[in-house]
Amino acid sequence: MHVRAARAAVLCLMLIWPAQVLADNVADLPGARRSTVLIAGKAAGTEVYAQQGDEQIATFTYNDRGRGPEVSARWRLDARQLPTSIRITGKDYFKAPVDEWFTNVRGVANWKSAAEQGSMAGADEHFYVPIEAPPMFLGVLARALLADDDGQIELLPAGRARISEALSIPEPGWNQRRKRTLVAYEISGLGFSPQLVWFDAKGEFLGTVSEWSSTLPEGRETWLEPMLAAQAEHLQKRAAELAKTLAHPAASAQLYHGGTVFDPRTGQSNPASVLIMGNRIAAVGDEDQMNLPADIERIDVSDKFLMPGLWDNHVHLDSVDGLLHLAAGVTSVRDLANDEQALPGRVQRFEAGTEIGPRVIMAGFMDGSGPFTGPTRVIVDSPSDAERWVNWYADQGYRQIKVYSSLKPELVPLIARLAHSRGLRLSGHVPATMVASQFIDAGADELQHMNFVMLNFLSKEAPDTRDMSRFTAIGKHAANIDLDSEEVRGFIAQLVRRQTVVDPTLGIFESMFESEAGSVAPGYADVIERLPPQVRRSLLLGGLKPDAADKAAYSRAFPAMLQFLQALFKAGVTIIPGTDTLAGFGLQRELELYAAAGIPTTSVLRMATLDSAAVNRRSDELGLIAPGWLADLIVVDGDPTASMSALRKVRRVIKNGVTYYPDELYQALGVAPAP
């Protein structure tokens, strides 16, 4: 009877609730609250929240370079602040339709979204976490947790959330005698690390803040900086505590013996011992021929594969990414766009050992003004802007400039000259109304993303690549690009002649074109069960959702990208792996895809080690296991030259002579160890 009643309630819910609530209508309700969505500190959208009887209503939208959600949500709560009904409609980040609902009638819960559907009896004290919820829903969860006796609630579809007070700060601008404070609580159980949520002095939910995306009530936007500063200090203390327990400095020299050592110069793997003293490799080869110190730790790596630490050349460091990278054997990364003020501090903490993370090459990000401007405060619209920011980045220790889609094409040659004069490389998205060949002729050293390589031949289909057409044009037309045509062969020859580097980020396009809603994204099928429950759900959302007429073309798009990558490799184009996706796990998949494209495994491993070090001008001390080189290496349980998937079983990571155990790093993030 309970199940029948629940299904009846669902039908009733869908009949009486309209498919979408307009933001203006919500704003007109008594007591409606408007909040500003800030991307990289700039206003990018709004959330409007109101109560109407026993319903709570919110609309949420923002513009992120032509992408961004447009959702309306309505929900009801019981006396314990637990949801009894939820309906969310609209469009998701990539503008696909959203229709998510949940009901709980007398303890029988039912739910459905684009990614999943399910039901559960006995859900009397459970909280359903919507996939497409507006930020306000974090406040709803926080209130339910605060109202609970022990601050813990079972989640639906899976997991458990816990809340605890994390920090408080004086309310910015409050000068009266009576103190007013803002309080941040930590909610754990939603991701790899606790989520901080903020409340004001009256106990009203404020929102969430981060270097990337924040939501705060209108009129409170100036609170962002002090809230970010306090939050950063809190997170840095937590990171320092993890560093004390998860990093294992060597007490003496170390000898790794019994393993097979990979040399990316030759592609050969041979039995050898490796002697590490301090942060350097002292010797490689037959230990009988080594001058071993008396005080030495012998480490048996029999039947294991030793290779240089991996590189991910396209990341945007945040939160716990450092742990995820190292756990996957990634000892060096290149950050291609971040908060230009905050990134150097994070890099310094990595280097000092007060936060766990890889070595970092910093690339300075810049874009032009316009409706599709990227997430940055660095806006370059004139020659003086270009000179100012290139010099600023060079002075701050950045090694590369990355330009973006809204930059004026006529500024590219100047930026290239300025960057090269300061010893910086130039890369990026191909600015709109340019094609890749023009970008290279203007002085670019590198192309980001495989779609921009292929858009060189789709200028008619995608004349302005600032919007979603830079993806949809690939879906519709990638398979029509003739690799044997004079145009393609001439372009590839240009890449070789100019020694232009390509950073393909194939994994994100696999997710766009190969992932179906409700099914595990292909690159994560082998790891999804190891991830925290709420993280798993994000890997079920699927990719781009083409119209019926375009489905056949979209199904051929990603195979066409693999074929193009193989053509680049065969021609001798320098390829370095980057991901722009989930830290650590993303690189493991990226390298599997290169092998799937027909690139020999030994060449793939060289791309991820020595070639990456060379492009980033660090091959004099990184990218090899050789005497005098920095002690950055990994121990793998399996042979990646036989199967690239062996890289999913990294058992030990040494960065700068310090040892990290992936199982320990993963445990700190709620991730199960690799089998």
Side-chain angles (χ1 to χ4, degrees):
M1 292 295 291
H2 286 182
V3 173
R4 290 177 183 170
R7 296 192 188 283
V10 169
L11 292 173
C12 180
L13 171 70
M14 298 180 75
L15 287 171
I16 66 173
W17 277 4
Q20 188 165 353
V21 180
L22 297 178
D24 289 344
N25 293 342
V26 179
D28 290 340
L29 293 175
R33 185 185 90 165
R34 295 179 63 92
S35 294
T36 303
V37 180
L38 300 136
I39 304 294
K42 297 188 299 184
T46 59
E47 180 186 57
V48 185
Y49 166 78
Q51 289 188 260
Q52 188 175 38
D54 64 348
E55 288 184 353
Q56 298 184 45
I57 308 170
T59 61
F60 176 56
T61 181
Y62 66 83
N63 176 23
D64 177 22
R65 299 158 288 172
R67 293 165 274 175
E70 303 171 50
V71 297
S72 298
R74 306 182 76 158
W75 64 91
R76 294 185 179 95
L77 307 175
D78 65 15
R80 297 163 299 176
Q81 305 299 304
L82 301 176
T84 58
S85 59
I86 304 170
R87 183 82 186 278
I88 303 175
T89 58
K91 298 178 182 179
D92 68 10
Y93 180 79
F94 283 112
K95 304 304 182 183
V98 169
D99 191 356
E100 180 176 10
W101 56 261
F102 165 82
T103 63
N104 191 331
V105 178
R106 293 191 292 273
V108 180
N110 288 273
W111 61 90
K112 189 177 189 300
S113 69
E116 61 201 1
Q117 65 180 45
S119 62
M120 177 181 173
D124 298 286
E125 298 182 358
H126 291 66
F127 192 106
Y128 176 76
V129 180
I131 289 180
E132 301 290 354
M136 177 58 68
F137 220 82
L138 273 174
V140 176
L141 174 58
R143 286 190 178 283
L145 287 164
L146 291 169
D148 188 79
D149 290 340
D150 62 0
Q152 300 187 59
I153 295 177
E154 297 294 326
L155 301 178
L156 291 173
R160 175 186 293 176
R162 295 171 297 280
I163 196 167
S164 60
E165 185 172 333
L167 69 146
S168 62
I169 62 171
E171 181 179 303
W174 184 258
N175 295 317
Q176 304 298 322
R177 291 181 179 178
R178 185 165 57 88
K179 292 183 178 180
R180 298 181 64 168
T181 59
L182 309 183
V183 179
Y185 295 90
E186 281 187 336
I187 301 176
S188 58
L190 298 180
F192 294 114
S193 62
Q195 168 72 56
L196 282 164
V197 295
W198 286 83
F199 285 76
D200 67 13
K202 297 179 180 179
E204 296 293 329
F205 177 66
L206 278 174
T208 61
V209 301
S210 73
E211 294 170 0
W212 162 247
S213 174
S214 306
T215 304
L216 289 172
E218 286 188 349
R220 299 289 182 258
E221 295 90 346
T222 57
W223 292 7
L224 176 63
E225 291 304 323
M227 291 169 70
L228 276 177
Q231 188 166 290
E233 182 180 359
H234 173 78
L235 294 176
Q236 287 168 26
K237 287 180 180 178
R238 181 176 182 272
E241 292 171 0
L242 289 174
K244 288 179 181 179
T245 58
L246 300 177
H248 303 279
S252 63
Q254 294 180 318
L255 182 70
Y256 287 81
H257 65 92
T260 299
V261 177
F262 175 71
D263 188 337
R265 294 170 296 189
T266 64
Q268 298 296 309
S269 306
N270 296 299
S273 294
V274 179
L275 176 63
I276 297 176
M277 300 182 68
N279 70 338
R280 297 274 174 176
I281 297 168
V284 180
D286 185 349
E287 68 176 271
D288 291 337
Q289 305 299 315
M290 297 178 185
N291 184 19
L292 300 177
D295 186 13
I296 191 169
E297 179 186 5
R298 298 179 62 87
I299 301 166
D300 187 354
V301 288
S302 297
D303 301 321
K304 301 294 190 296
F305 187 92
L306 278 68
M307 64 175 290
L310 301 169
W311 283 73
D312 186 336
N313 293 279
H314 196 134
V315 309
H316 307 285
L317 288 167
D318 186 28
S319 184
V320 295
D321 286 357
L323 280 79
L324 286 169
H325 282 303
L326 281 185
V330 179
T331 57
S332 296
V333 301
R334 185 178 58 182
D335 191 301
L336 281 178
N338 217 309
D339 185 311
E340 75 282 353
Q341 301 288 345
L343 180 61
R346 186 183 296 275
V347 173
Q348 290 172 7
R349 295 192 297 275
F350 285 173
E351 293 175 351
T354 57
E355 185 172 343
I356 292 175
R359 301 181 188 275
V360 183
I361 301 293
M362 297 190 297
F365 184 64
M366 59 178 61
D367 199 7
S369 58
F372 300 101
T373 298
T376 182
R377 290 182 288 262
V378 181
I379 304 302
V380 173
D381 287 328
S382 67
S384 60
D385 292 339
E387 184 172 9
R388 172 196 171 197
W389 281 110
V390 169
N391 286 327
W392 186 90
Y393 277 129
D395 291 342
Q396 300 303 313
Y398 284 75
R399 307 283 289 275
Q400 186 163 319
I401 297 296
K402 177 188 175 184
V403 299
Y404 209 64
S405 302
S406 293
L407 188 82
K408 295 176 182 177
E410 60 267 27
L411 290 176
V412 175
L414 171 62
I415 293 171
R417 289 195 300 271
L418 291 168
H420 294 157
S421 71
R422 294 298 307 267
L424 278 62
R425 302 177 69 253
L426 174 64
S427 72
H429 287 203
V430 177
T433 72
M434 294 183 87
V435 293
S437 60
Q438 295 169 331
F439 187 47
I440 295 164
D441 284 339
D445 302 296
E446 181 178 332
L447 299 174
Q448 257 75 61
H449 304 301
M450 197 64 183
N451 63 326
F452 281 105
V453 175
M454 301 178 78
L455 287 167
N456 190 73
F457 312 101
L458 300 174
S459 58
K460 292 181 180 178
E461 294 81 359
D464 184 345
T465 57
R466 294 175 299 173
D467 59 17
M468 286 290 291
S469 66
R470 68 172 178 258
F471 307 124
T472 57
I474 294 294
K476 294 176 183 178
H477 305 290
N480 298 328
I481 297 174
D482 182 1
L483 296 180
D484 294 323
S485 67
E486 286 189 21
E487 186 182 16
V488 173
R489 287 191 282 110
F491 173 68
I492 293 177
Q494 179 192 23
L495 294 175
V496 175
R497 183 175 64 254
R498 295 292 298 269
Q499 298 182 339
T500 307
V501 176
V502 174
D503 157 30
T505 66
L506 281 185
I508 58 175
F509 300 110
E510 182 185 41
S511 295
M512 284 185 184
F513 298 118
E514 299 283 291
S515 297
E516 294 286 341
S519 299
V520 182
Y524 301 98
D526 291 340
V527 302
I528 190 166
E529 293 303 322
R530 296 170 50 200
L531 303 178
Q534 297 301 321
V535 176
R536 295 177 207 162
R537 303 175 72 202
S538 66
L539 301 176
L540 298 171
L541 288 171
L544 299 179
K545 297 172 178 62
D547 295 334
D550 295 323
K551 281 188 175 181
Y554 270 61
S555 70
R556 297 190 295 269
F558 189 67
M561 300 184 100
L562 293 178
Q563 292 167 7
F564 206 117
L565 183 73
Q566 185 187 52
L568 294 178
F569 169 75
K570 286 184 175 180
V573 175
T574 299
I575 299 165
I576 56 172
T579 60
D580 199 15
T581 185
L582 183 57
F585 294 109
L587 185 72
Q588 293 169 343
R589 182 56 179 172
E590 188 78 11
L591 302 184
E592 289 174 342
L593 290 172
Y594 293 7
I599 301 175
T601 54
T602 53
S603 297
V604 175
L605 294 180
R606 176 175 176 129
M607 292 174 184
T609 54
L610 186 58
D611 287 353
S612 294
V615 167
N616 289 293
R617 300 169 180 169
R618 296 296 304 273
S619 58
D620 58 337
E621 56 181 0
L622 291 171
L624 288 176
I625 298 178
W629 261 245
L630 287 166
D632 284 21
L633 60 149
I634 62 176
V635 179
V636 181
D637 189 2
D639 183 355
T641 65
S643 171
M644 196 57 61
S645 295
L647 285 178
R648 294 188 181 274
K649 296 184 178 182
V650 176
R651 303 304 190 197
R652 193 177 184 119
V653 178
I654 301 93
K655 176 217 162 187
N656 206 40
V658 177
T659 297
Y660 301 87
Y661 298 103
D663 287 1
E664 292 183 353
L665 299 177
Y666 283 135
Q667 183 179 16
L669 301 173
V671 178

